[in-house]
Amino acid sequence: MKLTPHLLVLVALVAGQALGQNDLDPEAMLAAHNQVRQNLNSGKAPTLGLGPGEKRPQPVPKPPLPVVKWDERLAADAADYAKQCVFEHAPNPGRVGENLYLHSNEEALVASAEVVYSWSKEAEHYDYSTNSCQAGHQCGHYTQLVWSSLRALGCGVSFCDNIPNWGPGGGQIWVCRYSPAGNIVGRKPY
């Protein structure tokens, strides 16, 4: 059977619909998380190296941060929450941590590394010695990534036509859940 341009477009559309709401690559997402942790363990900048250098170096964790594993239950919970198309933290995610990411592109799935990089880049504004974030910036996504007791994570993504309080159009909502939760008030991440 010869595939015409029209048939190729139809096949691509059907394939795109069949991919569903949670088509992130678990291996890529897990690798990006573990790369951030390994970079910090090695004394390198904790980001994935996709952008400009960090302004605020972080100390090397002692003992080293452990490798985290993928958890299907956490991934299912994260995917279910992402499908709600609400860009705000879950009111009661249980005893798990949560990172959110929003991207305005409704056409193509953002790479897992880009999502994790956006969170790891917060290290530029985090001061380990005072366990604080530079005024006007966020650091909680980064500290969740490098929380020393973290052992498992699972993530989900959803393409949303309408996201309340976001403006016209939709986008991608990414949710990652972490066990055990980090960002315990008064404690440093490691």
Side-chain angles (χ1 to χ4, degrees), residues 5-17:
H6 297 291
L7 186 55
L8 284 173
V9 169
L10 179 60
V11 169
L13 287 173
V14 170
Q17 289 174 351

Side-chain angles (χ1 to χ4, degrees), residues 89-137:
H89 285 285
N92 185 12
R95 299 178 65 99
V96 298
E98 181 179 77
N99 277 355
L100 303 177
Y101 177 84
L102 178 62
H103 193 277
S104 61
N105 185 347
E106 295 178 75
E107 302 300 322
L109 193 65
V110 175
S112 298
E114 182 178 334
V115 174
V116 176
Y117 171 70
S118 74
W119 296 329
S120 69
K121 193 168 171 20
E122 293 176 4
E124 295 177 9
H125 308 290
Y126 176 69
D127 185 334
Y128 183 86
S129 64
T130 62
N131 195 29
S132 64
C133 194
Q134 206 173 23
H137 295 278

